[in-house]
Amino acid sequence: MSGSHVSAQLIADYVMGVELPPDVVQELETHLESCADCRAKLTSFTPRDVTLLADRVWARIVSSRPQQTRPARFLMSCLIVIALVALAVILLSALIARG
């Protein structure tokens, strides 16, 4: 890799977050340090490419989050309602005490 330029596909995969072997990533990064032409390829990616990468990262985050179950959502809703009722009681008590 150091004697020639890196393929545009490898740079695209690197930018897009494709899983590459660690030794390939290390060689690529070492090559990019010394090759202005390949760095130019790297910086030529459009904002659309960056958006696609962000979409992939977000999809991974969402898929790795544990899904809330229906009982957990119901419990959370109940707690919110209880908190709102308690707040209303406190505010009404304060208004009655002033009056």
Side-chain angles (χ1 to χ4, degrees):
M1 200 179 307
S2 58
S4 62
H5 294 293
V6 178
S7 73
Q9 183 60 52
L10 179 58
I11 292 175
D13 290 347
Y14 177 75
V15 169
M16 298 302 291
V18 172
E19 190 82 24
L20 297 170
D23 59 320
V24 171
V25 172
Q26 179 63 41
E27 283 184 51
L28 173 62
E29 290 175 348
T30 300
H31 178 79
L32 289 170
E33 288 175 7
S34 62
C35 182
D37 290 338
C38 290
R39 281 195 308 273
K41 283 183 202 175
L42 180 72
T43 59
S44 70
F45 286 91
T46 65
R48 183 178 183 284
D49 298 324
V50 175
T51 301
L52 289 173
L53 175 58
D55 290 344
R56 282 188 185 177
V57 170
W58 182 249
R60 286 182 187 170
I61 290 170
V62 169
S63 68
S64 67
R65 287 189 327 193
Q67 297 297 317
Q68 273 192 334
T69 61
R70 181 168 283 224
R73 277 186 260 151
F74 178 74
L75 178 61
M76 184 60 70
S77 298
C78 289
L79 291 175
I80 290 170
V81 169
I82 291 169
L84 290 173
V85 168
L87 180 61
V89 168
I90 292 169
L91 290 175
L92 285 173
S93 298
L95 287 174
I96 292 172
R98 280 188 184 180

